[in-house]
Structure formats: structure tokens, C-alpha cells
Amino acid sequence: SRTESQQEYEFTDKQEIVFQNLVGMIYSCAVLFFLMFLVTMLEIVYKAHSAPKDAPPDVATASDAVDYLFYSYFLRKASLAFKMVITSRGSDISNLMTGLNGLYLLFKRMRFVSTIYVLKTMALIAISHPRIHRMFKTPKSNLKSPLDMTATQATFLIVLASIGLTLVGAVGMKRDQKGLADGH
């Protein structure tokens, strides 16, 4: 049992209104990111069915959809934790810290995704630049080129690297989640 000095702080009704507004805003953003995920998935399906037969899949858009789903997940978790601040008695600080942890994980994911996006986009722009693009061999030529691959192969490697980095980030986030939950 807790002594008086160990009891957690309980927010006032006026302070809980602030949390209620925050919960509503976070939850609505979670719903919007989920809708963005659904709409993006519909876009992918539509493009796949209307694209020429040999067209490559739209990996970049699929990657965006996965990010939207992650954002929705972390925002929803944070909103539920902040909602507990309003609905619980005697554990407001613990619930507040859980909500802040959810936001921390969301922003960490956003920073990681943004970094991958910047690197991937810079690489894709670089390989499309005329001076660099002509260094690639063409699929129909047997000419020796400074870069022993086609531009399409280079693009595939860039996308593959960004998927690999995303998987590394997902594993790291899971470890962060566990570590923060364990208090380590």
C-alpha cells in the first residue's frame, strides 16, 4: 500500500479538460493517418491494375502507406494513454508518462523515416542526372560502362536499401518500446 508521500498526483478537472482536448486531437490525427493508409493502398491497387503489364510495382507509395499505418498506430496508443489520465484515479503521472513515451516513439519513427526519405530521394535524383545517368549501361547494350549496372538496377538497390533501413528501424522501435516499458 502507498503512503501519502508515494501517492501519485491527480490532475484537477480544469487540467483534465486540457488532456481531453489533446486526446481528441491526437485521436483524430490517428484516424486521418489510418485513412491516408487506406487511400494510399487503394491508389496502389488502382495503379497496379491500370499500369502496363511490365511496369514495376510502386514501392515508394507502398512505403508511404506503411509509414502512415505506423503513425496511426503510435498516435492511437498515445491517445489511449492520455485518455487514461482523464478516466483513472491515482495514476495520472504514470499514464502521462506512458502517453509521452508513445509520442516519443512516434517522433523517433518520423525522424528515422524522414532521414531515409531524404537519402533515398537524393540518390534517386543523382542517378537521374544526365551526367551520372549516362554512366549506366543500357539493357540493350553490351558496352562497358563505369557503373556495371543499369539505372533500373541502381534504383532497385536504392529502394531495397531503404526497405532494409525501415526494417532495422522497426526492430529498433520494438526494442525501444520494450526498454521503455521495462524502465531501462
Side-chain angles (χ1 to χ4, degrees):
S1 91
R2 293 181 175 191
T3 65
E4 188 66 35
S5 64
Q6 291 175 316
Q7 254 183 341
E8 288 203 36
Y9 180 80
E10 191 67 31
F11 291 104
T12 67
D13 290 343
K14 192 172 183 179
Q15 291 168 328
E16 286 184 354
I17 290 172
V18 173
F19 283 104
Q20 198 164 6
N21 292 338
L22 179 64
V23 167
M25 188 59 67
I26 293 173
Y27 184 77
S28 66
C29 287
V31 169
L32 286 171
F33 271 112
F34 187 74
L35 290 174
M36 288 170 66
F37 163 75
L38 292 177
V39 168
T40 305
M41 293 305 291
L42 286 172
E43 176 188 9
I44 292 168
V45 170
Y46 174 76
K47 283 181 177 178
H49 286 294
S50 60
K53 204 172 198 173
D54 295 335
D58 191 353
V59 178
T61 305
S63 175
D64 290 343
V66 170
D67 292 334
Y68 300 149
L69 187 60
F70 270 116
Y71 297 159
S72 176
Y73 170 77
F74 286 113
L75 283 167
R76 183 168 186 283
K77 281 188 68 133
S79 76
L80 291 174
F82 285 123
K83 186 175 183 178
M84 291 298 296
V85 171
I86 302 165
T87 59
S88 70
R89 292 289 167 236
S91 55
D92 282 358
I93 298 299
S94 294
N95 291 324
L96 175 63
M97 294 309 294
T98 302
L100 290 173
N101 179 49
L103 291 178
Y104 164 78
L105 292 172
L106 168 71
F107 286 117
K108 187 171 184 178
R109 170 76 182 171
M110 291 176 93
R111 181 182 68 184
F112 193 78
V113 166
S114 300
T115 303
I116 292 171
Y117 175 82
V118 167
L119 294 174
K120 176 182 70 174
T121 304
M122 286 174 37
L124 291 172
I125 290 170
I127 66 172
S128 66
H129 188 275
R131 289 176 61 181
I132 295 173
H133 193 74
R134 71 174 156 243
M135 296 169 81
F136 291 103
K137 66 181 181 181
T138 62
K140 295 180 182 180
S141 74
N142 289 329
L143 299 174
K144 197 71 174 155
S145 66
L147 302 170
D148 197 26
M149 68 176 68
T150 65
T152 303
Q153 290 169 326
T155 301
F156 176 75
L157 287 175
I158 291 168
V159 170
L160 191 61
S162 67
I163 291 170
L165 287 171
T166 299
L167 291 174
V168 167
V171 169
M173 277 188 351
K174 202 64 174 163
R175 289 183 67 201
D176 281 347
Q177 241 178 342
K178 185 178 177 346
L180 290 170
D182 294 343
H184 297 107

